[in-house]
Amino acid sequence: MDFQAGILRDGSPMESLEKQLICPICLEMFSKPVVILPCQHNLCRKCANDIFQAANPYWQSRSSVISGGRFRCPSCRHEVLLDRHGVYGLQRNLLVENIIDIYKQECSSRPLKKGEHPMCKEHEDERINIYCVTCEVPTCSMCKVFGAHKDCEVAPLQNIFQGQKTELNNCISMLVAGNDRIQTIISQLEDSCRSTEENSEAAKQELCARFDALAALLEEKKSELLQRITREQGDKTSFIQDLIRQYKEQLEKSSRLVETAIQAMEETGGAAFLMGDMAMLSLPRIVEASKGGRLEKIEHGFENMDAFSVTLDHLTEAVHALDFDPAEEDEEFFDGEEEELEE
């Protein structure tokens, strides 16, 4: 780094030196440790690590077994190759770090220039060095002696500065503590949100399981009742078919008697008639056959299946009345936290 050239080009050596100590990434003064690249340019280690991580997103950590990575110098675009240690394998530039320390010490010990310290607007040559407690504004000694604040109560500017700085620091601590409490509440709310989602999913699964079990029970009961109707149907149809078979047999016998009787009617001879067909036919038998026999008959409404009617109105009402069990109201979870926030 050519510090001398920068000093010669600028009338203020400290300002030139400060420009030479600016990181090209964060545009701030180098923060230690400072690493030196193979191209001799410098970077803050944090900035170097940021661009290295951006160029090598899959590079895991310092202890990773992955073989290094690469990135380009932001100043000259020279490609920088790193080993498995990543940015931590680069050499520290102790010279630049020492220069930064010397520069900071020099800046802290330099007296302020006239233009760097606030000056009084009423008395241009007087520095603002006291604080008017009555008006709550900084002012100069001339304003206290001869000016607008001659009847006011004043205090040393440094004392007021230290007091207000301490008060501001306390306020910052309170704000940080309040932010911590808010963050705690946010974390609790996020946990409650996750628990609510998990509990809701579990409740849905349990509800589905119960309704599936109820549906399975209804399906089983339906199958049972259908089987009973089928058995009753089988019994009745078997009985009716048996009656049909008996009546058909009776009809067949009666038809044969009718044919025999008609043939007998065609006989003209008395002896032949009495000795032939009429010998086979008997009037009581014909009379009995004409009455249809003594076969069993079915009762009126025998074919009805009204006995298997099912009323589901009470079940329908019960299904419509299904609801969740009433639960007790939960206690307020964040009462204490809300009171703290209000305070």
Side-chain angles (χ1 to χ4, degrees):
M1 204 187 301
D2 190 1
F3 297 103
Q4 195 67 29
I7 293 174
L8 293 175
R9 285 194 301 266
D10 198 299
S12 174
M14 296 301 291
E15 292 180 1
S16 298
L17 179 60
E18 182 178 353
K19 292 179 181 179
Q20 299 294 330
L21 298 178
I22 297 298
C23 174
I25 298 298
C26 61
L27 300 180
E28 300 288 342
M29 186 172 294
F30 288 117
S31 61
K32 292 195 298 185
V34 181
V35 294
I36 183 170
L37 303 181
C39 57
Q40 302 304 309
H41 288 109
N42 297 282
L43 291 175
C44 310
R45 178 182 286 175
K46 179 182 181 302
C47 295
N49 190 58
D50 289 343
I51 61 175
F52 174 69
Q53 293 287 348
N56 302 271
Y58 298 106
W59 192 87
Q60 298 175 353
S61 65
R62 187 177 178 181
S63 59
S64 173
V65 296
I66 298 177
S67 58
R70 63 185 64 194
F71 68 94
R72 292 190 177 276
C73 172
S75 298
C76 65
R77 306 303 296 166
H78 177 78
E79 188 174 48
V80 181
L81 300 178
L82 300 180
D83 59 11
R84 64 186 184 89
H85 298 289
V87 174
Y88 291 89
L90 292 173
Q91 183 178 359
R92 289 178 60 178
N93 195 333
L94 299 178
L95 176 60
V96 173
E97 293 181 14
N98 293 334
I99 293 175
I100 291 174
D101 292 338
I102 296 172
Y103 174 81
K104 290 181 178 179
Q105 292 176 5
E106 178 66 20
C107 288
S108 62
S109 62
R110 276 194 307 165
L112 291 174
K113 295 180 181 180
K114 180 178 180 181
E116 295 178 354
H117 194 285
M119 306 301 288
C120 180
K121 294 181 179 179
E122 298 294 331
H123 308 91
E124 297 180 355
D125 294 331
E126 293 293 327
R127 296 169 56 186
I128 293 179
N129 55 0
I130 60 175
Y131 185 83
C132 179
V133 179
T134 305
C135 301
E136 297 183 348
V137 293
T139 185
C140 71
S141 301
M142 295 298 293
C143 288
K144 170 59 181 171
V145 177
F146 303 106
H149 301 285
K150 62 181 179 180
D151 297 327
C152 298
E153 179 185 356
V154 296
L157 187 64
Q158 191 66 20
N159 294 348
I160 300 299
F161 163 71
Q162 292 296 339
Q164 291 193 1
K165 197 171 184 180
T166 302
E167 184 178 354
L168 179 60
N169 185 61
N170 294 335
C171 292
I172 292 173
S173 300
M174 293 174 60
L175 287 174
V176 171
N179 291 342
D180 291 341
R181 288 195 294 270
I182 293 175
Q183 185 59 48
T184 301
I185 294 175
I186 291 174
S187 300
Q188 292 174 346
L189 290 173
E190 290 175 347
D191 293 340
S192 298
C193 185
R194 285 192 294 269
S195 299
T196 300
E197 292 175 354
E198 294 172 357
N199 294 337
S200 299
E201 190 63 28
K204 290 178 183 178
Q205 293 178 359
E206 181 181 359
L207 183 66
C208 291
R210 291 180 180 273
F211 270 83
D212 290 342
L214 179 61
L217 180 61
L218 289 174
E219 190 66 26
E220 180 180 356
K221 192 64 177 178
K222 183 181 74 172
S223 299
E224 177 186 344
L225 296 179
L226 287 175
Q227 290 176 2
R228 288 174 58 184
I229 295 176
T230 302
R231 286 196 298 270
E232 182 69 14
Q233 174 189 353
D235 293 342
K236 286 189 174 184
T237 53
S238 297
F239 179 74
I240 294 174
Q241 288 174 356
D242 186 60
L243 286 181
I244 292 173
R245 180 184 55 80
Q246 294 179 26
Y247 275 96
K248 285 183 177 180
E249 292 178 354
Q250 180 66 27
L251 179 61
E252 185 178 354
K253 292 179 181 179
S254 178
S255 298
R256 287 198 298 268
L257 285 175
V258 170
E259 292 177 359
T260 304
I262 291 174
Q263 291 177 0
M265 290 293 294
E266 294 176 353
E267 185 63 44
T268 57
F273 175 78
L274 295 175
M275 293 177 63
D277 295 331
M278 283 303 295
M280 297 173 59
L281 296 172
S282 61
L283 292 177
R285 181 181 177 189
I286 295 174
V287 173
E288 182 68 21
S290 65
K291 294 180 179 181
R294 301 295 182 183
L295 295 178
E296 187 176 1
K297 297 180 178 63
I298 60 175
E299 298 177 356
H300 178 70
F302 178 80
E303 67 280 1
N304 293 335
M305 303 293 283
D306 297 337
F308 295 95
S309 177
V310 176
T311 302
L312 299 178
D313 294 341
H314 61 291
L315 288 180
T316 304
E317 293 176 359
V319 171
H320 283 299
L322 278 177
D323 202 349
F324 300 105
D325 296 332
E328 297 181 358
E329 295 183 357
D330 297 333
E331 297 181 356
E332 293 294 335
F333 186 69
F334 294 121
D335 284 347
E337 298 292 345
E338 291 177 354
E339 291 177 0
E340 290 182 1
L341 288 177
E342 290 177 358
E343 293 177 0

PDB file of all heavy atoms in Angstrom, residues 125-146:
ATOM      1  N   ASP A 125     -16.663  33.981  18.412  1.00  0.00           N
ATOM      2  CA  ASP A 125     -15.340  33.530  18.852  1.00  0.00           C
ATOM      3  C   ASP A 125     -15.400  32.725  20.140  1.00  0.00           C
ATOM      4  O   ASP A 125     -14.360  32.296  20.655  1.00  0.00           O
ATOM      5  CB  ASP A 125     -14.422  34.750  19.068  1.00  0.00           C
ATOM      6  CG  ASP A 125     -14.143  35.476  17.752  1.00  0.00           C
ATOM      7  OD1 ASP A 125     -14.165  34.788  16.706  1.00  0.00           O
ATOM      8  OD2 ASP A 125     -13.921  36.699  17.774  1.00  0.00           O
ATOM      9  N   GLU A 126     -16.607  32.547  20.690  1.00  0.00           N
ATOM     10  CA  GLU A 126     -16.748  31.827  21.955  1.00  0.00           C
ATOM     11  C   GLU A 126     -17.266  30.408  21.701  1.00  0.00           C
ATOM     12  O   GLU A 126     -18.202  30.206  20.922  1.00  0.00           O
ATOM     13  CB  GLU A 126     -17.730  32.563  22.873  1.00  0.00           C
ATOM     14  CG  GLU A 126     -17.239  33.906  23.360  1.00  0.00           C
ATOM     15  CD  GLU A 126     -16.045  33.756  24.283  1.00  0.00           C
ATOM     16  OE1 GLU A 126     -15.983  32.755  25.018  1.00  0.00           O
ATOM     17  OE2 GLU A 126     -15.171  34.650  24.262  1.00  0.00           O
ATOM     18  N   ARG A 127     -16.590  29.467  22.326  1.00  0.00           N
ATOM     19  CA  ARG A 127     -17.034  28.063  22.219  1.00  0.00           C
ATOM     20  C   ARG A 127     -18.180  27.815  23.186  1.00  0.00           C
ATOM     21  O   ARG A 127     -18.268  28.436  24.254  1.00  0.00           O
ATOM     22  CB  ARG A 127     -15.870  27.115  22.558  1.00  0.00           C
ATOM     23  CG  ARG A 127     -14.715  27.211  21.569  1.00  0.00           C
ATOM     24  CD  ARG A 127     -13.506  26.466  22.086  1.00  0.00           C
ATOM     25  NE  ARG A 127     -13.812  25.087  22.394  1.00  0.00           N
ATOM     26  CZ  ARG A 127     -12.967  24.238  22.976  1.00  0.00           C
ATOM     27  NH1 ARG A 127     -11.745  24.651  23.300  1.00  0.00           N
ATOM     28  NH2 ARG A 127     -13.313  23.003  23.218  1.00  0.00           N
ATOM     29  N   ILE A 128     -19.045  26.914  22.804  1.00  0.00           N
ATOM     30  CA  ILE A 128     -20.136  26.516  23.697  1.00  0.00           C
ATOM     31  C   ILE A 128     -19.553  25.589  24.757  1.00  0.00           C
ATOM     32  O   ILE A 128     -19.120  24.475  24.451  1.00  0.00           O
ATOM     33  CB  ILE A 128     -21.250  25.815  22.911  1.00  0.00           C
ATOM     34  CG1 ILE A 128     -21.924  26.810  21.966  1.00  0.00           C
ATOM     35  CG2 ILE A 128     -22.279  25.201  23.845  1.00  0.00           C
ATOM     36  CD1 ILE A 128     -23.016  26.223  21.116  1.00  0.00           C
ATOM     37  N   ASN A 129     -19.515  26.087  26.025  1.00  0.00           N
ATOM     38  CA  ASN A 129     -18.821  25.337  27.075  1.00  0.00           C
ATOM     39  C   ASN A 129     -19.624  25.202  28.362  1.00  0.00           C
ATOM     40  O   ASN A 129     -19.146  24.601  29.325  1.00  0.00           O
ATOM     41  CB  ASN A 129     -17.476  25.993  27.384  1.00  0.00           C
ATOM     42  CG  ASN A 129     -17.640  27.466  27.739  1.00  0.00           C
ATOM     43  OD1 ASN A 129     -18.755  27.975  27.752  1.00  0.00           O
ATOM     44  ND2 ASN A 129     -16.535  28.128  28.024  1.00  0.00           N
ATOM     45  N   ILE A 130     -20.828  25.756  28.415  1.00  0.00           N
ATOM     46  CA  ILE A 130     -21.674  25.597  29.598  1.00  0.00           C
ATOM     47  C   ILE A 130     -23.080  25.209  29.147  1.00  0.00           C
ATOM     48  O   ILE A 130     -23.427  25.288  27.964  1.00  0.00           O
ATOM     49  CB  ILE A 130     -21.716  26.885  30.453  1.00  0.00           C
ATOM     50  CG1 ILE A 130     -22.287  28.050  29.631  1.00  0.00           C
ATOM     51  CG2 ILE A 130     -20.353  27.214  31.035  1.00  0.00           C
ATOM     52  CD1 ILE A 130     -22.466  29.320  30.442  1.00  0.00           C
ATOM     53  N   TYR A 131     -23.895  24.833  30.134  1.00  0.00           N
ATOM     54  CA  TYR A 131     -25.260  24.384  29.833  1.00  0.00           C
ATOM     55  C   TYR A 131     -26.220  25.174  30.691  1.00  0.00           C
ATOM     56  O   TYR A 131     -26.081  25.247  31.928  1.00  0.00           O
ATOM     57  CB  TYR A 131     -25.417  22.893  30.122  1.00  0.00           C
ATOM     58  CG  TYR A 131     -26.764  22.326  29.719  1.00  0.00           C
ATOM     59  CD1 TYR A 131     -27.017  21.942  28.413  1.00  0.00           C
ATOM     60  CD2 TYR A 131     -27.782  22.187  30.659  1.00  0.00           C
ATOM     61  CE1 TYR A 131     -28.247  21.435  28.051  1.00  0.00           C
ATOM     62  CE2 TYR A 131     -29.021  21.675  30.304  1.00  0.00           C
ATOM     63  CZ  TYR A 131     -29.252  21.308  28.988  1.00  0.00           C
ATOM     64  OH  TYR A 131     -30.471  20.808  28.630  1.00  0.00           O
ATOM     65  N   CYS A 132     -27.205  25.819  30.045  1.00  0.00           N
ATOM     66  CA  CYS A 132     -28.222  26.582  30.763  1.00  0.00           C
ATOM     67  C   CYS A 132     -29.295  25.620  31.246  1.00  0.00           C
ATOM     68  O   CYS A 132     -30.060  25.068  30.436  1.00  0.00           O
ATOM     69  CB  CYS A 132     -28.827  27.655  29.851  1.00  0.00           C
ATOM     70  SG  CYS A 132     -30.128  28.623  30.655  1.00  0.00           S
ATOM     71  N   VAL A 133     -29.324  25.408  32.568  1.00  0.00           N
ATOM     72  CA  VAL A 133     -30.300  24.476  33.142  1.00  0.00           C
ATOM     73  C   VAL A 133     -31.708  25.042  33.034  1.00  0.00           C
ATOM     74  O   VAL A 133     -32.675  24.301  32.825  1.00  0.00           O
ATOM     75  CB  VAL A 133     -29.935  24.176  34.613  1.00  0.00           C
ATOM     76  CG1 VAL A 133     -30.947  23.220  35.234  1.00  0.00           C
ATOM     77  CG2 VAL A 133     -28.536  23.601  34.715  1.00  0.00           C
ATOM     78  N   THR A 134     -31.834  26.366  33.153  1.00  0.00           N
ATOM     79  CA  THR A 134     -33.163  26.987  33.099  1.00  0.00           C
ATOM     80  C   THR A 134     -33.791  26.836  31.719  1.00  0.00           C
ATOM     81  O   THR A 134     -34.951  26.437  31.587  1.00  0.00           O
ATOM     82  CB  THR A 134     -33.064  28.472  33.463  1.00  0.00           C
ATOM     83  OG1 THR A 134     -32.440  28.619  34.742  1.00  0.00           O
ATOM     84  CG2 THR A 134     -34.450  29.106  33.504  1.00  0.00           C
ATOM     85  N   CYS A 135     -33.028  27.161  30.688  1.00  0.00           N
ATOM     86  CA  CYS A 135     -33.553  27.084  29.316  1.00  0.00           C
ATOM     87  C   CYS A 135     -33.311  25.727  28.659  1.00  0.00           C
ATOM     88  O   CYS A 135     -33.840  25.468  27.572  1.00  0.00           O
ATOM     89  CB  CYS A 135     -32.906  28.180  28.463  1.00  0.00           C
ATOM     90  SG  CYS A 135     -33.211  29.852  29.084  1.00  0.00           S
ATOM     91  N   GLU A 136     -32.479  24.897  29.292  1.00  0.00           N
ATOM     92  CA  GLU A 136     -32.157  23.561  28.797  1.00  0.00           C
ATOM     93  C   GLU A 136     -31.529  23.618  27.412  1.00  0.00           C
ATOM     94  O   GLU A 136     -31.898  22.883  26.491  1.00  0.00           O
ATOM     95  CB  GLU A 136     -33.410  22.670  28.765  1.00  0.00           C
ATOM     96  CG  GLU A 136     -34.025  22.426  30.130  1.00  0.00           C
ATOM     97  CD  GLU A 136     -35.216  21.483  30.069  1.00  0.00           C
ATOM     98  OE1 GLU A 136     -35.690  21.214  28.939  1.00  0.00           O
ATOM     99  OE2 GLU A 136     -35.657  21.007  31.128  1.00  0.00           O
ATOM    100  N   VAL A 137     -30.546  24.529  27.254  1.00  0.00           N
ATOM    101  CA  VAL A 137     -29.804  24.609  26.002  1.00  0.00           C
ATOM    102  C   VAL A 137     -28.334  24.851  26.320  1.00  0.00           C
ATOM    103  O   VAL A 137     -27.997  25.499  27.322  1.00  0.00           O
ATOM    104  CB  VAL A 137     -30.330  25.762  25.107  1.00  0.00           C
ATOM    105  CG1 VAL A 137     -31.733  25.481  24.614  1.00  0.00           C
ATOM    106  CG2 VAL A 137     -30.274  27.096  25.842  1.00  0.00           C
ATOM    107  N   PRO A 138     -27.408  24.341  25.484  1.00  0.00           N
ATOM    108  CA  PRO A 138     -25.988  24.673  25.656  1.00  0.00           C
ATOM    109  C   PRO A 138     -25.748  26.141  25.260  1.00  0.00           C
ATOM    110  O   PRO A 138     -26.410  26.675  24.367  1.00  0.00           O
ATOM    111  CB  PRO A 138     -25.289  23.713  24.705  1.00  0.00           C
ATOM    112  CG  PRO A 138     -26.289  22.669  24.362  1.00  0.00           C
ATOM    113  CD  PRO A 138     -27.624  23.328  24.443  1.00  0.00           C
ATOM    114  N   THR A 139     -24.797  26.768  25.906  1.00  0.00           N
ATOM    115  CA  THR A 139     -24.486  28.157  25.592  1.00  0.00           C
ATOM    116  C   THR A 139     -23.014  28.427  25.914  1.00  0.00           C
ATOM    117  O   THR A 139     -22.281  27.506  26.287  1.00  0.00           O
ATOM    118  CB  THR A 139     -25.410  29.111  26.370  1.00  0.00           C
ATOM    119  OG1 THR A 139     -25.155  30.445  25.948  1.00  0.00           O
ATOM    120  CG2 THR A 139     -25.189  28.994  27.858  1.00  0.00           C
ATOM    121  N   CYS A 140     -22.617  29.707  25.790  1.00  0.00           N
ATOM    122  CA  CYS A 140     -21.228  30.057  26.065  1.00  0.00           C
ATOM    123  C   CYS A 140     -21.140  30.933  27.311  1.00  0.00           C
ATOM    124  O   CYS A 140     -22.154  31.410  27.843  1.00  0.00           O
ATOM    125  CB  CYS A 140     -20.617  30.777  24.867  1.00  0.00           C
ATOM    126  SG  CYS A 140     -21.266  32.446  24.615  1.00  0.00           S
ATOM    127  N   SER A 141     -19.926  31.172  27.759  1.00  0.00           N
ATOM    128  CA  SER A 141     -19.715  31.965  28.981  1.00  0.00           C
ATOM    129  C   SER A 141     -20.156  33.407  28.797  1.00  0.00           C
ATOM    130  O   SER A 141     -20.693  34.031  29.721  1.00  0.00           O
ATOM    131  CB  SER A 141     -18.235  31.918  29.372  1.00  0.00           C
ATOM    132  OG  SER A 141     -17.829  30.587  29.586  1.00  0.00           O
ATOM    133  N   MET A 142     -19.955  33.966  27.601  1.00  0.00           N
ATOM    134  CA  MET A 142     -20.355  35.344  27.352  1.00  0.00           C
ATOM    135  C   MET A 142     -21.867  35.513  27.446  1.00  0.00           C
ATOM    136  O   MET A 142     -22.361  36.548  27.932  1.00  0.00           O
ATOM    137  CB  MET A 142     -19.858  35.789  25.973  1.00  0.00           C
ATOM    138  CG  MET A 142     -18.336  35.845  25.854  1.00  0.00           C
ATOM    139  SD  MET A 142     -17.600  37.031  26.990  1.00  0.00           S
ATOM    140  CE  MET A 142     -18.209  38.563  26.303  1.00  0.00           C
ATOM    141  N   CYS A 143     -22.621  34.517  27.008  1.00  0.00           N
ATOM    142  CA  CYS A 143     -24.076  34.587  27.117  1.00  0.00           C
ATOM    143  C   CYS A 143     -24.515  34.570  28.574  1.00  0.00           C
ATOM    144  O   CYS A 143     -25.521  35.192  28.944  1.00  0.00           O
ATOM    145  CB  CYS A 143     -24.724  33.439  26.366  1.00  0.00           C
ATOM    146  SG  CYS A 143     -24.649  33.588  24.565  1.00  0.00           S
ATOM    147  N   LYS A 144     -23.768  33.863  29.415  1.00  0.00           N
ATOM    148  CA  LYS A 144     -24.089  33.819  30.842  1.00  0.00           C
ATOM    149  C   LYS A 144     -23.744  35.145  31.522  1.00  0.00           C
ATOM    150  O   LYS A 144     -24.478  35.636  32.390  1.00  0.00           O
ATOM    151  CB  LYS A 144     -23.330  32.664  31.491  1.00  0.00           C
ATOM    152  CG  LYS A 144     -23.385  32.660  33.016  1.00  0.00           C
ATOM    153  CD  LYS A 144     -24.813  32.580  33.519  1.00  0.00           C
ATOM    154  CE  LYS A 144     -24.865  32.606  35.052  1.00  0.00           C
ATOM    155  NZ  LYS A 144     -26.226  32.753  35.571  1.00  0.00           N
ATOM    156  N   VAL A 145     -22.654  35.767  31.111  1.00  0.00           N
ATOM    157  CA  VAL A 145     -22.212  36.988  31.780  1.00  0.00           C
ATOM    158  C   VAL A 145     -22.972  38.204  31.265  1.00  0.00           C
ATOM    159  O   VAL A 145     -23.473  39.043  32.040  1.00  0.00           O
ATOM    160  CB  VAL A 145     -20.693  37.177  31.599  1.00  0.00           C
ATOM    161  CG1 VAL A 145     -20.224  38.485  32.235  1.00  0.00           C
ATOM    162  CG2 VAL A 145     -19.952  36.000  32.216  1.00  0.00           C
ATOM    163  N   PHE A 146     -23.093  38.307  29.920  1.00  0.00           N
ATOM    164  CA  PHE A 146     -23.671  39.518  29.341  1.00  0.00           C
ATOM    165  C   PHE A 146     -24.932  39.257  28.509  1.00  0.00           C
ATOM    166  O   PHE A 146     -25.622  40.215  28.163  1.00  0.00           O
ATOM    167  CB  PHE A 146     -22.638  40.222  28.436  1.00  0.00           C
ATOM    168  CG  PHE A 146     -21.360  40.566  29.146  1.00  0.00           C
ATOM    169  CD1 PHE A 146     -20.214  39.825  28.888  1.00  0.00           C
ATOM    170  CD2 PHE A 146     -21.303  41.603  30.063  1.00  0.00           C
ATOM    171  CE1 PHE A 146     -19.021  40.144  29.530  1.00  0.00           C
ATOM    172  CE2 PHE A 146     -20.112  41.910  30.708  1.00  0.00           C
ATOM    173  CZ  PHE A 146     -18.961  41.178  30.443  1.00  0.00           C
TER     174      PHE A 146
END
